[in-house]
Amino acid sequence: MKALRSQMNPHFIFNSLNSIKYYIIQNETALASKYLSLFSKLIRKILANSQTEYIKLSEEIETIELYLEMEKLRFGEKLEYFIDVDKRIDSEMILIPTMLIQPYIENAIWYGIMHKYTNGKLHFSIK
């Protein structure tokens, strides 16, 4: 449970639920539905990944993509992101510790982009 809690940042869960609530209150049901769908997929992946010590790099990338899609919905034009994986890397064959990269992505957004008055770009590259 401790490992699972460390992977599921309570602030992220709280902010996600608040975003869904906001979209509902604003009667933006399509956005609320999309956000809820992404949120449920992300939580499902995190729960599945927490069952094992190592996951495929491709799984971590998928988790990061879901997370970034959700944050993009929240921040809109303020957040632009790029994911670049070197074509020579076989992400299906490489195993990494669960949730190794996602916390860095989250911190980059929260401490590097969120409080900026201008738009921010996040470029995530695996080489």
Side-chain angles (χ1 to χ4, degrees):
M1 288 302 289
K2 185 177 178 183
L4 183 58
R5 269 189 235 114
S6 71
Q7 293 172 8
M8 296 177 63
N9 183 328
H11 295 288
F12 168 71
I13 293 171
F14 181 75
N15 290 336
S16 295
L17 293 173
N18 272 336
S19 292
I20 295 165
K21 180 177 127 182
Y22 172 80
Y23 293 140
I24 291 170
I25 290 171
Q26 295 299 314
N27 203 27
E28 296 184 40
T29 55
L31 280 174
S33 178
K34 182 174 182 175
Y35 198 94
L36 185 58
S37 176
L38 290 170
F39 181 69
S40 65
K41 286 178 187 175
L42 181 62
I43 295 297
R44 199 173 305 123
K45 283 189 93 31
I46 290 171
L47 290 171
N49 291 347
S50 71
Q51 300 295 314
T52 182
E53 193 173 340
Y54 294 94
I55 60 170
K56 294 177 184 177
L57 177 59
S58 61
E59 289 289 323
E60 179 76 343
I61 293 168
E62 286 176 25
T63 302
I64 290 166
E65 287 175 331
L66 281 170
Y67 174 74
L68 286 171
E69 283 182 58
M70 289 178 63
E71 293 296 65
K72 176 71 175 160
L73 278 176
R74 282 184 53 215
F75 293 117
E77 297 301 314
K78 188 172 180 174
L79 173 64
E80 188 176 354
Y81 69 87
F82 308 92
I83 298 176
D84 178 33
V85 180
D86 191 318
K87 292 180 184 355
R88 297 172 291 178
I89 292 177
D90 186 350
S91 61
E92 291 293 319
M93 297 299 293
I94 296 174
L95 296 177
I96 63 170
T98 305
M99 295 293 284
L100 175 69
I101 302 168
Q102 192 274 340
Y104 293 105
I105 301 292
E106 186 174 343
N107 283 340
I109 292 170
W110 280 93
Y111 299 109
I113 295 174
M114 186 174 120
H115 301 289
K116 288 178 68 171
Y117 294 107
T118 59
N119 295 349
K121 292 183 182 181
L122 185 134
H123 190 140
F124 171 59
S125 183
I126 299 176
K127 297 191 183 272

